[in-house]
Amino acid sequence: MARLLLIEDDPMVRRGLELALSRHGHDVRTTDTGEEGLAAFRSEPPDLVVLDVMLPGVGGFEVCRRIRERGGTPVIILTALGDDFDVVGGLEAGADDYVVKPVQPTVLDARVRAVLRRSPGDAEGVRVHGDLRVDTATLLVSLRGEPVALTPTELRLLLVLSRSPGRVFSRQQLLEEVWEHDYLGDSRLVDNCVQRLRAKIEPAATAPRYVQTVRGFGYRFGPL
């Protein structure tokens, strides 16, 4: 059972999603404004936040940014059908995934579960790449001896890329391995996550040493 915080201002949508997610075994708290959502997040941090973009007062993008500043709690944004502005804005604010409304409860539950299991450890031990150290057992990442705080999705992306230095992963391969489902070619999830990861681990984001772009193909992890 996961502890979820649902921030949604539409009472019918909020109640419907609350009941559906509860039936799927989750412990769901709800709020209807950004301010109340942030207060609930601070008072009792959840395992994951489901966040509507269009909120009164503090908007969804700002709520997502503030949650991200406080750590790696996963965020799934709810966006209107076909509204690419919402998708891009949410991903740039640090969301781990997005769901288009109206959404089937089984689909949302599947997305929640996929996001929550994205950061499994493995038994490989410690990977050292220059100044970057990735402990795959404890899931701790450090750069020049200083800890690096990554979101679950950023960590999963780093684990997938760093296990095969030099191998080129297409965006679709990364969608399947990191996000665990098919987005029909929507590469924005990958590109935005790469951008956020680079900002945290690269000495110079304009000349990436670790997460390198292979133009026309995808990404690879820099050689040892």
Side-chain angles (χ1 to χ4, degrees):
M1 181 178 66
R3 292 174 299 141
L4 307 182
L5 174 60
L6 170 63
I7 309 175
E8 164 65 64
D9 67 322
D10 185 309
M12 292 185 64
V13 173
R14 184 173 65 252
R15 182 58 176 163
L17 291 179
E18 179 186 11
L19 290 173
L21 289 169
S22 297
R23 282 197 295 268
H24 280 90
H26 302 294
D27 177 14
V28 185
R29 288 183 300 150
T30 68
T31 67
D32 58 4
T33 69
E35 292 92 338
E36 291 179 359
L38 288 169
F41 179 86
R42 289 189 293 266
S43 67
E44 188 178 345
D47 297 317
L48 182 144
V49 178
V50 180
L51 172 65
D52 186 31
V53 169
M54 301 300 293
L55 294 171
V58 179
F61 297 159
E62 181 61 23
V63 171
C64 186
R65 279 189 286 267
R66 294 189 193 179
I67 289 173
R68 189 56 66 239
E69 289 171 357
R70 299 180 67 89
T73 301
V75 177
I76 295 177
I77 60 168
L78 299 174
T79 178
L81 179 63
D83 196 332
D84 286 347
F85 176 80
D86 284 357
V87 173
V88 173
L91 296 177
E92 290 180 345
D96 295 272
D97 201 351
Y98 71 90
V99 174
V100 175
K101 295 189 293 185
V103 57
Q104 291 294 325
T106 53
V107 172
L108 180 56
D109 174 63
R111 297 286 181 88
V112 166
R113 293 178 187 275
V115 169
L116 288 173
R117 65 173 178 260
R118 273 181 201 161
S119 300
D122 58 41
E124 296 177 26
V126 177
R127 304 170 188 169
V128 178
H129 308 271
D131 295 328
L132 184 67
R133 185 179 188 271
V134 182
D135 189 323
T136 61
T138 64
L139 301 180
L140 297 177
V141 177
S142 61
L143 183 66
R144 294 184 293 275
E146 295 296 323
V148 179
L150 300 179
T151 68
T153 306
E154 292 162 0
L155 178 58
R156 179 67 176 169
L157 177 63
L158 179 59
L159 289 171
V160 169
L161 289 171
S162 65
R163 77 171 177 231
S164 304
R167 174 187 169 185
V168 178
F169 289 84
S170 70
R171 289 172 174 81
Q172 191 61 39
Q173 286 174 316
L174 291 173
L175 282 170
E176 292 169 0
E177 291 212 38
V178 178
W179 282 263
E180 299 186 0
H181 52 92
D182 187 357
Y183 275 90
L184 301 178
D186 188 348
S187 65
R188 291 172 296 190
L189 285 167
V190 177
D191 294 337
N192 278 275
C193 192
V194 165
Q195 184 179 19
R196 299 198 308 269
L197 179 60
R198 282 175 172 168
K200 295 179 179 181
I201 68 171
E202 297 289 356
T206 55
R209 177 181 180 184
Y210 301 114
V211 183
Q212 302 172 352
T213 301
V214 181
R215 191 175 299 278
F217 292 93
Y219 297 100
R220 70 179 173 202
F221 198 81
L224 292 173

